[in-house]
Short mmCIF file of all heavy atoms in Angstrom, two decimals:
data_model
loop_
_atom_site.label_atom_id
_atom_site.label_comp_id
_atom_site.label_asym_id
_atom_site.label_seq_id
_atom_site.Cartn_x
_atom_site.Cartn_y
_atom_site.Cartn_z
N ARG M 7 6.76 -61.40 -57.61
CA ARG M 7 7.67 -62.00 -58.43
C ARG M 7 9.05 -61.30 -58.50
O ARG M 7 10.01 -61.81 -58.95
CB ARG M 7 7.22 -62.16 -59.94
CG ARG M 7 6.06 -63.12 -60.08
CD ARG M 7 5.69 -63.44 -61.47
NE ARG M 7 4.82 -64.56 -61.70
CZ ARG M 7 4.40 -64.98 -62.85
NH1 ARG M 7 4.83 -64.46 -63.94
NH2 ARG M 7 3.58 -66.07 -62.81
N GLY M 8 9.00 -60.09 -57.96
CA GLY M 8 10.16 -59.32 -57.92
C GLY M 8 9.89 -57.85 -57.87
O GLY M 8 8.87 -57.37 -58.37
N LEU M 9 10.88 -57.00 -57.22
CA LEU M 9 10.63 -55.64 -57.04
C LEU M 9 10.34 -54.97 -58.34
O LEU M 9 9.57 -54.10 -58.47
CB LEU M 9 11.76 -55.01 -56.29
CG LEU M 9 11.78 -53.56 -56.01
CD1 LEU M 9 10.58 -53.11 -55.12
CD2 LEU M 9 13.02 -53.10 -55.37
N ASP M 10 11.12 -55.30 -59.40
CA ASP M 10 10.95 -54.58 -60.62
C ASP M 10 9.99 -55.28 -61.62
O ASP M 10 9.74 -54.64 -62.69
CB ASP M 10 12.34 -54.55 -61.23
CG ASP M 10 13.32 -53.54 -60.67
OD1 ASP M 10 12.79 -52.60 -60.19
OD2 ASP M 10 14.56 -53.83 -60.63
N ALA M 11 9.43 -56.28 -61.24
CA ALA M 11 8.37 -56.93 -62.14
C ALA M 11 7.32 -55.98 -62.68
O ALA M 11 7.03 -55.82 -63.80
CB ALA M 11 7.80 -58.15 -61.53
N PRO M 12 6.58 -55.33 -61.73
CA PRO M 12 5.51 -54.31 -62.25
C PRO M 12 6.14 -53.27 -63.15
O PRO M 12 5.43 -52.69 -64.11
CB PRO M 12 4.84 -53.79 -61.06
CG PRO M 12 5.16 -54.84 -59.91
CD PRO M 12 6.55 -55.34 -60.35
N ARG M 13 7.44 -52.78 -62.83
CA ARG M 13 8.04 -51.65 -63.56
C ARG M 13 8.41 -52.12 -64.96
O ARG M 13 8.43 -51.17 -65.84
CB ARG M 13 9.20 -51.23 -62.69
CG ARG M 13 9.77 -49.81 -63.12
CD ARG M 13 10.74 -49.40 -62.11
NE ARG M 13 11.91 -49.99 -62.15
CZ ARG M 13 13.03 -49.66 -62.92
NH1 ARG M 13 12.86 -48.60 -63.69
NH2 ARG M 13 14.15 -50.33 -62.87
N PHE M 14 8.48 -53.33 -65.23
CA PHE M 14 8.70 -53.77 -66.59
C PHE M 14 7.38 -54.38 -67.18
O PHE M 14 7.39 -54.96 -68.27
CB PHE M 14 9.86 -54.92 -66.64
CG PHE M 14 11.22 -54.32 -66.45
CD1 PHE M 14 11.71 -54.16 -65.12
CD2 PHE M 14 11.84 -53.73 -67.50
CE1 PHE M 14 12.97 -53.50 -65.02
CE2 PHE M 14 13.19 -53.16 -67.37
CZ PHE M 14 13.66 -53.07 -66.03
N GLY M 15 6.31 -54.22 -66.42
CA GLY M 15 5.05 -54.69 -66.92
C GLY M 15 4.09 -53.47 -67.02
O GLY M 15 4.25 -52.49 -67.77
N PRO M 16 2.92 -53.55 -66.26
CA PRO M 16 1.91 -52.44 -66.47
C PRO M 16 2.33 -51.09 -66.01
O PRO M 16 1.76 -50.08 -66.28
CB PRO M 16 0.69 -52.93 -65.62
CG PRO M 16 1.24 -54.01 -64.67
CD PRO M 16 2.42 -54.62 -65.46
N MET M 17 3.46 -51.09 -65.22
CA MET M 17 3.83 -49.76 -64.62
C MET M 17 5.10 -49.28 -65.33
O MET M 17 5.90 -48.46 -64.79
CB MET M 17 4.20 -49.97 -63.12
CG MET M 17 3.00 -50.23 -62.28
SD MET M 17 3.28 -50.46 -60.47
CE MET M 17 3.75 -48.73 -60.06
N LYS M 18 5.40 -49.80 -66.46
CA LYS M 18 6.61 -49.40 -67.24
C LYS M 18 6.44 -47.80 -67.60
O LYS M 18 5.39 -47.43 -68.11
CB LYS M 18 6.82 -50.29 -68.49
CG LYS M 18 5.61 -50.10 -69.51
CD LYS M 18 5.98 -51.12 -70.70
CE LYS M 18 4.83 -51.12 -71.74
NZ LYS M 18 3.62 -51.78 -71.16
N PRO M 19 7.62 -47.10 -67.53
CA PRO M 19 7.61 -45.66 -67.70
C PRO M 19 7.98 -45.32 -69.10
O PRO M 19 8.03 -44.06 -69.48
CB PRO M 19 8.56 -45.22 -66.77
CG PRO M 19 9.54 -46.22 -66.65
CD PRO M 19 8.82 -47.52 -66.72
N VAL M 20 8.32 -46.19 -70.03
CA VAL M 20 8.89 -45.93 -71.25
C VAL M 20 7.83 -45.09 -72.10
O VAL M 20 6.68 -45.30 -72.11
CB VAL M 20 9.25 -47.22 -72.03
CG1 VAL M 20 10.35 -48.01 -71.37
CG2 VAL M 20 8.03 -48.19 -72.25
N GLY M 21 8.46 -44.23 -72.94
CA GLY M 21 7.63 -43.35 -73.87
C GLY M 21 6.86 -42.26 -73.14
O GLY M 21 6.08 -41.67 -73.75
N LEU M 22 7.25 -41.96 -71.86
CA LEU M 22 6.55 -40.93 -71.11
C LEU M 22 7.57 -40.02 -70.50
O LEU M 22 8.59 -40.45 -69.96
CB LEU M 22 5.66 -41.51 -69.99
CG LEU M 22 4.55 -42.41 -70.37
CD1 LEU M 22 4.00 -43.17 -69.31
CD2 LEU M 22 3.41 -41.58 -71.09
N ILE M 23 7.30 -38.80 -70.57
CA ILE M 23 8.06 -37.66 -69.83
C ILE M 23 7.21 -36.86 -68.86
O ILE M 23 6.05 -36.32 -69.26
CB ILE M 23 8.71 -36.69 -70.94
CG1 ILE M 23 9.67 -37.40 -71.83
CG2 ILE M 23 9.50 -35.57 -70.14
CD1 ILE M 23 10.79 -38.07 -71.25
N ASP M 24 7.68 -36.79 -67.66
CA ASP M 24 6.83 -36.15 -66.62
C ASP M 24 7.12 -34.62 -66.76
O ASP M 24 8.33 -34.27 -66.62
CB ASP M 24 7.32 -36.63 -65.31
CG ASP M 24 6.61 -35.95 -64.04
OD1 ASP M 24 5.75 -34.97 -64.33
OD2 ASP M 24 6.77 -36.35 -62.87
N PRO M 25 6.12 -33.88 -67.09
CA PRO M 25 6.34 -32.38 -67.34
C PRO M 25 6.90 -31.72 -66.09
O PRO M 25 7.36 -30.53 -66.15
CB PRO M 25 5.00 -31.88 -67.81
CG PRO M 25 4.02 -32.83 -67.37
CD PRO M 25 4.80 -34.23 -67.26
N ASN M 26 6.59 -32.26 -64.96
CA ASN M 26 7.08 -31.69 -63.70
C ASN M 26 8.53 -31.74 -63.46
O ASN M 26 9.18 -30.94 -62.75
CB ASN M 26 6.34 -32.19 -62.45
CG ASN M 26 4.89 -31.77 -62.53
OD1 ASN M 26 4.55 -30.68 -62.76
ND2 ASN M 26 3.99 -32.79 -62.10
N THR M 27 9.19 -32.79 -64.08
CA THR M 27 10.55 -33.07 -63.97
C THR M 27 11.42 -32.95 -65.27
O THR M 27 12.59 -32.95 -65.19
CB THR M 27 10.87 -34.28 -63.32
OG1 THR M 27 10.34 -35.41 -64.24
CG2 THR M 27 10.11 -34.44 -61.90
N ASN M 28 10.62 -33.08 -66.41
CA ASN M 28 11.24 -33.16 -67.78
C ASN M 28 12.07 -34.50 -67.84
O ASN M 28 13.01 -34.46 -68.71
CB ASN M 28 12.06 -31.87 -68.01
CG ASN M 28 11.14 -30.71 -68.21
OD1 ASN M 28 10.08 -30.86 -68.90
ND2 ASN M 28 11.62 -29.50 -67.78
N HIS M 29 11.80 -35.43 -66.91
CA HIS M 29 12.45 -36.69 -67.15
C HIS M 29 11.48 -37.86 -67.13
O HIS M 29 10.39 -37.65 -66.80
CB HIS M 29 13.46 -36.93 -65.84
CG HIS M 29 14.51 -35.91 -65.96
ND1 HIS M 29 15.63 -35.98 -66.79
CD2 HIS M 29 14.87 -34.89 -64.98
CE1 HIS M 29 16.43 -34.97 -66.49
NE2 HIS M 29 16.07 -34.32 -65.43
N ARG M 30 11.97 -38.98 -67.62
CA ARG M 30 11.17 -40.14 -67.53
C ARG M 30 10.99 -40.63 -66.09
O ARG M 30 11.95 -40.67 -65.47
CB ARG M 30 11.84 -41.29 -68.38
CG ARG M 30 10.89 -42.55 -68.55
CD ARG M 30 11.53 -43.65 -69.44
NE ARG M 30 12.56 -44.43 -68.79
CZ ARG M 30 13.12 -45.42 -69.23
NH1 ARG M 30 12.94 -45.74 -70.51
NH2 ARG M 30 14.10 -46.08 -68.47
N PRO M 31 9.70 -41.04 -65.60
CA PRO M 31 9.63 -41.48 -64.30
C PRO M 31 10.31 -42.80 -64.04
O PRO M 31 10.54 -43.45 -64.98
CB PRO M 31 8.08 -41.53 -64.17
CG PRO M 31 7.51 -40.87 -65.35
CD PRO M 31 8.46 -40.95 -66.38
N TRP M 32 10.49 -43.11 -62.79
CA TRP M 32 11.02 -44.38 -62.47
C TRP M 32 10.08 -45.54 -62.78
O TRP M 32 10.41 -46.52 -63.20
CB TRP M 32 11.36 -44.38 -60.94
CG TRP M 32 12.12 -45.68 -60.48
CD1 TRP M 32 11.60 -46.70 -59.70
CD2 TRP M 32 13.46 -46.07 -60.71
NE1 TRP M 32 12.28 -47.71 -59.50
CE2 TRP M 32 13.50 -47.37 -60.09
CE3 TRP M 32 14.47 -45.50 -61.46
CZ2 TRP M 32 14.82 -48.08 -60.18
CZ3 TRP M 32 15.67 -46.26 -61.43
CH2 TRP M 32 15.78 -47.53 -60.85
N ALA M 33 8.82 -45.29 -62.57
CA ALA M 33 7.68 -46.04 -62.79
C ALA M 33 6.38 -45.26 -63.01
O ALA M 33 6.47 -44.04 -62.70
CB ALA M 33 7.54 -47.12 -61.74
N CYS M 34 5.41 -45.78 -63.63
CA CYS M 34 4.16 -45.05 -63.95
C CYS M 34 2.94 -45.88 -64.01
O CYS M 34 3.03 -46.94 -64.50
CB CYS M 34 4.43 -44.30 -65.20
SG CYS M 34 3.17 -43.09 -65.46
N VAL M 35 1.85 -45.43 -63.39
CA VAL M 35 0.60 -45.99 -63.57
C VAL M 35 -0.18 -45.23 -64.50
O VAL M 35 -0.26 -44.08 -64.42
CB VAL M 35 -0.18 -46.09 -62.17
CG1 VAL M 35 -1.63 -46.66 -62.45
CG2 VAL M 35 0.56 -47.06 -61.24
#
C-alpha cells in the first residue's frame, strides 16, 4: 500500500528509544 504503510502500522517506532543510538528508530519490529 506504500513504503511507509508498515512504519505507521505494526512497525511504528513511537515510544521506543534504541539504547545503541539513544534515538528513536526509523522503524521497529
Side-chain angles (χ1 to χ4, degrees):
R7 291 189 169 182
L9 179 62
D10 285 328
R13 200 164 70 89
F14 286 90
M17 296 180 69
K18 60 182 179 290
V20 296
L22 297 169
I23 299 296
D24 182 354
N26 290 319
T27 64
N28 290 322
H29 295 291
R30 188 176 79 176
W32 183 256
C34 190
V35 172

